[in-house]
Amino acid sequence: MTKRFDNKLVTQFLKHDYHDRGMMKWQGFYLSDHTSVRAKEASIADVQLHRTHLAKMSAKQTSEVINEAIIKKTMVTVDLAQRNRDGQILAPITGRITGWVANQIVVNKKAIYIEEIYAIKRIK
């Protein structure tokens, strides 16, 4: 083999001997990655579609749970009465109540109006 680059030899090899399979060689990688992403998206969409509210609570019940959670410093799950643009129930907010100002509580750095709470549950 010579150390000189032979352009004719390369051209002949690419024209006659080498068969590029194109995208066929990448399909396996694409399909497995694509399939896993699609499965994850479908799982998230399924959870969103089938999400339900906790049992509706009165304002008195809500304030009792909030007071107890603040005093005992326990975690809570807040189920909001709001829905997204598609009419799906929003994901509950879980965390400690870190503040209470007038008609709002703060959970995980998110201010939540008390009247927007559908239900709230202490996590033991």
Side-chain angles (χ1 to χ4, degrees), residues 85-114:
R85 286 183 281 180
D86 298 327
Q88 297 168 338
I89 298 169
L90 297 176
I93 300 169
T94 302
R96 285 191 181 13
I97 299 174
T98 56
W100 186 348
V101 180
N103 61 346
Q104 292 181 333
I105 60 172
V106 179
V107 179
N108 280 348
K109 299 180 182 178
K110 295 179 183 169
I112 303 167
Y113 285 100
I114 294 172

Side-chain angles (χ1 to χ4, degrees), residues 36-100:
S36 65
V37 168
R38 292 296 301 145
K40 190 175 184 179
E41 289 173 353
S43 174
I44 291 169
D46 190 48
V47 167
Q48 287 176 340
L49 187 62
H50 294 98
R51 188 176 291 137
T52 58
H53 281 298
L54 298 171
K56 176 104 172 103
M57 296 175 74
S58 68
K60 183 180 178 190
Q61 291 171 320
T62 301
S63 62
E64 287 172 358
V65 172
I66 290 171
N67 287 332
E68 193 174 339
I70 290 172
I71 292 168
K72 295 186 177 180
K73 296 181 181 174
T74 57
M75 304 255 303
V76 293
T77 297
V78 180
D79 191 8
L80 299 173
Q82 301 170 337
R83 293 181 179 256
N84 66 13
R85 286 183 281 180
D86 298 327
Q88 297 168 338
I89 298 169
L90 297 176
I93 300 169
T94 302
R96 285 191 181 13
I97 299 174
T98 56
W100 186 348

